[in-house]
Amino acid sequence: MPGLGHAQPPIERSSLPSTQQQNMLTKQSQYTAFEENNGQVQGADGSKVKHTFKSGNLSVFLMQDGMAYQFNKTHYPEGYKPPSKFETPEERAAQVKLKEQIRTETYRMDVKLINANTNAQIITEGRSSDYVMYYNQDALDVHSYSKITYKEVYLHIDWVIYTNDKHIKYDFVVHPGGNPADILLQTQHVEDLQVKTDGRLLLKNRMGCIT
């Protein structure tokens, strides 16, 4: 089960008059927008990712034929503390050794669109005025969007992905001539799958859940 990684090199944003505003917009974009992938997403499936969304310990990767949900958790050894300018040389040396024991646990779940049009046109809306520069991956001028639409992902059916109250949502919009029965979803690496009384799917694993 290959994992996906989102690069975190130095960031530069346009039209930001202060560091405080930059930090605020960086945090806001993290929760409300889909960032285009210009090469900054790493991993075996990195080249398949079209857009990414991040909220807390969850990263969502939009691909041509579905999406991947990846949960991330960092495990710190007992006694580890963030670097401090007040620590003694002995304390700093001890923290360096503890830092080597930090590990990151990930768990990925996929939702695939079966028999979907893998050449569907992707339409973006709500382009951000600011952008991110991922220098280490040579991914420059990376913008974010508030809404993504896969046109004709099935015959006369669009797949629309957007955010609502810091959560990712998606709808299938069936146009005249479309058949809802054509929409087929296949899950991978899901440890528990439930259908709620209102029709929503609940996908669970040992690190979290998606509704």
Side-chain angles (χ1 to χ4, degrees), residues 23 27 57 60 65 72 80 82 100 107 139 148 175 180 193 204:
N23 292 337
K27 183 177 181 180
N57 71 330
V60 181
D65 61 347
N72 306 281
Y80 176 78
E100 296 174 352
Y107 194 99
I148 309 292
H175 300 286
L193 174 62
K204 300 178 66 176

Side-chain angles (χ1 to χ4, degrees), residues 86-169:
F86 301 109
E87 61 189 5
T88 65
E90 292 77 13
E91 291 172 332
R92 185 176 299 112
Q95 290 300 315
V96 168
K97 291 184 178 181
L98 288 174
K99 186 177 180 180
E100 296 174 352
Q101 301 176 35
I102 297 175
R103 64 183 182 87
T104 300
E105 179 183 6
T106 64
Y107 194 99
R108 172 179 164 180
M109 301 188 302
D110 287 24
V111 176
K112 297 288 186 181
L113 306 184
I114 303 302
N115 300 326
N117 173 18
T118 56
N119 294 313
Q121 179 186 9
I122 299 177
I123 298 176
T124 56
E125 299 179 46
R127 187 174 189 258
S128 64
S129 59
D130 61 320
Y131 57 83
V132 181
M133 310 287 274
Y134 292 96
Y135 295 107
N136 293 350
Q137 283 70 36
D138 196 27
L140 308 179
D141 300 340
V142 177
H143 287 268
S144 296
Y145 302 86
S146 61
K147 185 178 180 180
I148 309 292
T149 299
Y150 288 64
K151 295 290 293 183
E152 294 277 335
V153 70
Y154 293 104
L155 184 62
H156 304 307
I157 299 176
D158 299 338
W159 185 32
V160 182
I161 306 102
Y162 56 99
T163 59
N164 181 17
D165 191 26
K166 300 181 183 179
H167 298 289
I168 188 170
K169 304 288 185 180

Side-chain angles (χ1 to χ4, degrees), residues 17-116:
S18 70
T19 301
Q20 182 178 8
Q21 273 192 311
Q22 176 172 341
N23 292 337
M24 181 176 64
L25 284 174
T26 299
K27 183 177 181 180
Q28 183 182 40
S29 296
Q30 179 183 19
Y31 290 107
T32 62
F34 300 95
E35 185 178 83
E36 61 188 349
N37 178 29
N38 288 351
Q40 74 273 17
V41 178
Q42 307 295 299
D45 291 335
S47 61
K48 300 178 182 178
V49 175
K50 304 300 181 182
H51 294 86
T52 68
F53 172 86
K54 187 173 182 181
S55 178
N57 71 330
L58 173 66
S59 296
V60 181
F61 302 89
L62 304 183
M63 303 183 186
Q64 195 71 46
D65 61 347
M67 60 175 64
Y69 300 93
Q70 183 164 290
F71 294 84
N72 306 281
K73 182 178 181 180
T74 303
H75 296 270
Y76 297 95
E78 184 177 356
Y80 176 78
K81 299 177 182 179
S84 170
K85 63 180 180 180
F86 301 109
E87 61 189 5
T88 65
E90 292 77 13
E91 291 172 332
R92 185 176 299 112
Q95 290 300 315
V96 168
K97 291 184 178 181
L98 288 174
K99 186 177 180 180
E100 296 174 352
Q101 301 176 35
I102 297 175
R103 64 183 182 87
T104 300
E105 179 183 6
T106 64
Y107 194 99
R108 172 179 164 180
M109 301 188 302
D110 287 24
V111 176
K112 297 288 186 181
L113 306 184
I114 303 302
N115 300 326

